[in-house]
Amino acid sequence: MEVRNPATEQIIAVLVPDTKADVAAKWEALQTGQKKWAKRSINDRLACIQRFGELILENKRELAEILTSETGKPLQQSLNEIQGAQNRIDHLEQNAVRWLSDEVLVDSGGTHERIVYEPLGVIGNISAWNFPYNVGYNVFLYALVAGNAVMYKPSEYASLTGKEFEKYLHSAGVPEDVFQCVVGTGAVGQLLLETDLDGYFFTGSYGTGQHIAQTIAAKLKPLQLELGGKDPLYVMDDVANVQQAAINAAEGAFYNNGQSCCAVERIYISQAIYDSFVEAFVAEVRSYTMGDPMRLETFVGPLTRKQQTEVLDAQVADALDKGAILLAGGKAREGTGYFYEPTVLANCDHGMKVMQEESFGPIIGLQKVGSDMEAVELMQDTPYGLTAAVFSGDEVRAMAVLQEMNTGTVYWNCCDRVSPNVPWSGRKSSGLGSTLSSQGIRAFVQPKSYHLRP
Ligand code: NAD
């Protein structure tokens, strides 16, 4: 399996994908290892994860360069991701014991009732490439601390990073038969679905998520899906500073080249501020530095996957055909690398693909709205339900809109943000189940109820 640098188009590594026999052997080993791992104390398991976090931070620069070389993520953003993901470890350190310890509910009158949280067993984690530290940690670190063994299948676009996770987890004291990385394309992911794992935790596209849900349905095993989004932002006419709102909105749309599940994918703007917002927004986008992702000043690198260019081209052509106005970008950059110019389309409406289908790239549609009610209807007009944001100077007005959103997360005066303190969950086509928070800790255990008569 060739690993290609999306900025240079050079092959930077060749990996041997795991075979069916490899997956079977790793599963056998993990089953044995999990039983011993589960018997260790929570604090003992946590200590390994803390050590892993230290090793990752000690090697941050080298790891960031690996991530940038295989995904094209600008180096500063790779460094930010590695540093930022550390908050998952801090969260586990502060909360795992509380949420994984036995709970005694009754201990009187000759009756003792208790809940014991047992690990699921050997879980499969099939992951995405866009934020491999964040979305990987959300699953495999939480699973490990809860006493599970993990078969981790990184995306074929982030396999070098996945192999680094394995190396450092083992160096940090997680036994080899407790965490195993399996590399390959979707065909290797399919092998995990055919293995009798005790839980399936997937991050990726709606299409693959739906396929996984259908394939494993008969197994009746725990399943969590963290899928895509078409996340709306509504900028109200009472924002304190239109220019600042435009700068923040553009960052929400274009950070990591728009390749974020919770990237702002469509923006609705009150008509009173539409013109001034659009002007400031376009000025901000035009100021972005596009180029070599290994340079710290680069904000826009190449797309990770070459084929996404076609999706973006089709969205631009469709929007222009239906009356949108192109204010920036609109095409792939000529020359080496999968670069796509940051693209702004104004005068958009919901007849256009750019307002309906996940773009997952540096492109945004802007639409004028006449009222909060109209904005709510448009924001809700989507099969997805990951996040929704409102920028406004009026909390009551913003909350009235956010309460109407059928999404797992809502934001007031912020966007494109994840915190380990609160659940990360998608509704509708954006997913099933939650990671992070107390719920994301409990996602990796099953309760056993004890009724004891001492
Ligand atoms: P993808 O669905 O193409 O691939 C995800 C993983 O599934 C990869 O490891 C891939 O090899 C594997 N896979 C593919 N076919 C498979 C099969 N038949 N059986 C088993 N595994 C298979 O998604 P992607 O391109 O890696 O990620 C982008 C998508 O992920 C976007 O839609 C994005 O919004 C979403 N995402 C969601 C979140 C979230 O937290 N909600 C986070 C990051 C990314």
Side-chain angles (χ1 to χ4, degrees):
M1 188 175 81
E2 291 174 348
V3 178
R4 204 175 280 272
N5 180 324
T8 63
E9 300 187 34
Q10 302 287 317
I11 294 166
I12 52 171
V14 179
L15 301 173
V16 182
D18 279 88
T19 62
K20 194 171 182 171
D22 295 334
V23 172
K26 288 179 181 186
W27 179 59
E28 283 280 331
L30 290 168
Q31 282 179 289
T32 308
Q34 190 272 328
K35 291 185 178 68
K36 286 181 266 167
W37 181 244
K39 289 200 168 66
R40 289 167 65 168
S41 72
I42 301 168
N43 279 320
D44 191 13
R45 296 193 297 255
L46 257 180
C48 296
I49 300 310
Q50 284 160 339
R51 180 71 192 127
F52 166 77
E54 287 161 12
L55 290 172
I56 292 289
L57 292 184
E58 281 165 23
N59 295 281
K60 189 165 88 166
R61 178 71 188 217
E62 186 199 339
L63 289 167
E65 286 175 4
I66 291 172
L67 180 57
T68 293
S69 68
E70 65 180 338
T71 64
K73 186 187 290 262
L75 189 61
Q76 184 59 58
Q77 296 180 24
S78 293
L79 290 163
N80 295 349
E81 183 184 347
I82 293 170
Q83 187 67 48
Q86 186 69 19
N87 67 11
R88 274 73 169 167
I89 298 175
D90 299 341
H91 178 255
L92 281 166
E93 199 179 313
Q94 289 153 19
N95 295 284
V97 170
R98 176 175 167 208
W99 293 104
L100 295 174
S101 297
D102 299 358
E103 277 181 273
V104 176
L105 285 312
V106 175
D107 192 18
S108 62
T111 298
H112 182 97
E113 294 174 356
R114 182 195 311 176
I115 308 171
V116 173
Y117 293 99
E118 297 182 346
L120 299 175
V122 181
I123 65 115
N125 176 197
I126 301 177
S127 203
W129 48 266
N130 59 331
F131 281 92
Y133 284 82
N134 289 344
V135 301
Y137 284 16
N138 291 358
V139 175
F140 66 72
L141 292 187
Y142 283 70
L144 288 170
V145 171
N148 300 277
V150 178
M151 188 179 283
Y152 174 64
K153 159 56 187 98
S155 163
E156 53 272 45
Y157 297 98
S159 299
L160 299 180
T161 295
K163 296 293 288 176
E164 294 295 317
F165 292 155
E166 183 181 56
K167 180 175 96 186
Y168 284 115
L169 281 167
H170 293 166
S171 309
V174 175
E176 288 191 17
D177 58 5
V178 170
F179 184 91
Q180 280 292 318
C181 179
V182 168
V183 298
T185 61
V188 175
Q190 184 73 28
L191 295 175
L192 268 68
L193 308 185
E194 291 161 14
T195 304
D196 199 15
L197 297 167
D198 300 307
Y200 292 83
F201 294 81
F202 172 75
T203 307
S205 63
Y206 168 74
T208 311
Q210 195 191 41
H211 167 76
I212 290 174
Q214 283 168 350
T215 308
I216 68 150
K219 294 182 198 258
L220 300 182
K221 291 290 171 68
L223 167 71
Q224 288 208 169
L225 304 171
E226 304 278 0
L227 309 177
K230 188 71 193 169
D231 297 0
L233 162 65
Y234 172 30
V235 187
M236 291 181 173
D237 48 19
D238 59 11
V239 284
N241 181 330
V242 173
Q243 189 182 13
Q244 192 57 51
I247 291 169
N248 295 349
E251 189 182 32
F254 290 97
Y255 193 83
N256 197 31
N257 232 342
Q259 301 170 125
S260 166
C261 54
C262 53
V264 172
E265 286 245 345
R266 48 200 172 106
I267 305 180
Y268 305 97
I269 305 130
S270 292
Q271 57 190 5
I273 57 161
Y274 184 79
D275 291 341
S276 53
F277 178 89
V278 171
E279 189 184 334
F281 189 88
V282 172
E284 176 66 9
V285 173
R286 285 184 189 279
S287 76
Y288 289 155
T289 313
M290 181 164 77
D292 180 359
M294 281 295 178
R295 293 170 69 97
L296 281 171
E297 60 271 31
T298 296
F299 185 71
V300 180
L303 295 169
T304 303
R305 298 166 307 164
K306 187 180 187 182
Q307 64 269 32
Q308 197 65 8
T309 304
E310 286 165 31
V311 173
L312 302 181
D313 278 345
Q315 291 195 352
V316 171
D318 171 76
L320 295 181
D321 195 43
K322 292 172 180 163
I325 302 165
L326 183 65
L327 295 179
K331 59 182 188 320
R333 192 183 80 172
E334 286 186 10
T336 308
Y338 315 143
F339 291 90
Y340 203 92
E341 295 174 2
T343 298
V344 182
L345 291 157
N347 210 21
C348 291
D349 63 48
H350 271 221
M352 300 171 186
K353 286 181 185 167
V354 72
M355 302 303 274
Q356 295 280 298
E357 295 173 8
E358 189 178 42
S359 306
F360 222 61
I363 174 171
I364 191 81
L366 310 180
Q367 179 167 354
K368 190 189 290 183
V369 290
S371 67
D372 292 357
M373 201 185 293
E374 185 188 359
V376 166
E377 274 175 25
L378 291 168
M379 292 166 90
Q380 286 283 72
D381 178 25
T382 173
Y384 291 105
L386 193 58
T387 83
V390 171
F391 288 179
S392 168
D394 181 342
E395 183 176 356
V396 174
R397 195 176 155 201
M399 289 300 281
V401 170
L402 296 178
Q403 280 158 6
E404 296 297 317
M405 295 297 115
N406 190 11
T407 56
T409 294
V410 291
Y411 305 110
W412 176 44
N413 290 339
C414 56
C415 57
D416 192 23
R417 179 178 192 279
V418 179
S419 160
N421 302 313
V422 287
W424 186 244
S425 60
R427 297 187 186 176
K428 303 195 286 179
S429 299
S430 290
L432 209 62
S434 305
T435 50
L436 300 177
S437 78
S438 54
Q439 317 218 15
I441 295 175
R442 289 264 173 91
F444 296 98
V445 287
Q446 48 195 337
K448 183 183 274 178
S449 301
Y450 281 76
H451 301 244
L452 306 177
R453 288 271 156 80

